[in-house]
Amino acid sequence: QVQLVESGGGLVQAGGSLTLSCAPSGRVWNIGVMGWYRRNPGKQREMVATVTFDGTTNYADSVKGRFTISRDNVEDAVYLQMNDLKPEDTGVYYCNAFITRTIRTIPTNYWGQGTQVTVSS
């Protein structure tokens, strides 16, 4: 069974930076759209940024100009560079990917376990 493994969360002061990383735990046939979502305290999970296989990106308005999503199609990894962090960026960040495990399977939506990002004022 494939799992998405995240890393890079932590505690940072406002204005600081963090980089999140995510990759599947084993080799897979193909990965389509990859992205990062977050759940702020008391709110529903929301899209932060997504990136297609060919590198087309999409961002939430609240992070445009501060966050950058990228992916490495050789390593099957996705990254989220977060700059100028604000207290309202605090939350649990989840990696998401549409993964085709083998040539005989269909794309399936996978979620990581979540990594905590805390921004202090």
Side-chain angles (χ1 to χ4, degrees):
Q1 181 70 13
V2 172
Q3 295 180 334
L4 289 175
V5 181
E6 302 149 337
S7 62
L11 172 65
V12 65
Q13 289 187 333
S17 298
L18 284 174
T19 300
L20 305 182
S21 302
C22 171
S25 56
R27 296 298 296 174
V28 297
W29 178 252
N30 179 263
I31 302 181
V33 175
M34 304 182 81
W36 291 94
Y37 292 71
R38 70 185 179 192
R39 178 177 284 130
N40 301 110
K43 296 184 179 180
Q44 292 186 336
R45 186 159 56 187
E46 62 177 355
M47 185 274 291
V48 175
T50 61
V51 58
T52 63
F53 183 84
D54 64 358
T56 301
T57 58
N58 185 41
Y59 294 94
D61 288 341
S62 59
V63 307
K64 285 181 180 177
R66 300 188 298 122
F67 292 10
T68 301
I69 189 170
S70 61
R71 63 187 286 170
D72 182 332
N73 290 331
V74 174
E75 298 295 328
D76 290 337
V78 64
Y79 307 96
L80 186 67
Q81 174 68 43
M82 304 184 291
N83 297 326
D84 190 23
L85 282 160
K86 303 176 180 181
E88 51 263 42
D89 295 318
T90 294
V92 179
Y93 284 69
Y94 298 90
C95 176
N96 174 261
F98 280 85
I99 296 174
T100 305
R101 292 179 56 200
T102 72
I103 196 172
R104 295 184 178 85
T105 58
I106 61 173
T108 302
N109 194 22
Y110 284 83
W111 291 94
Q113 78 283 0
T115 185
Q116 178 71 42
V117 171
T118 303
V119 184
S120 63
S121 57

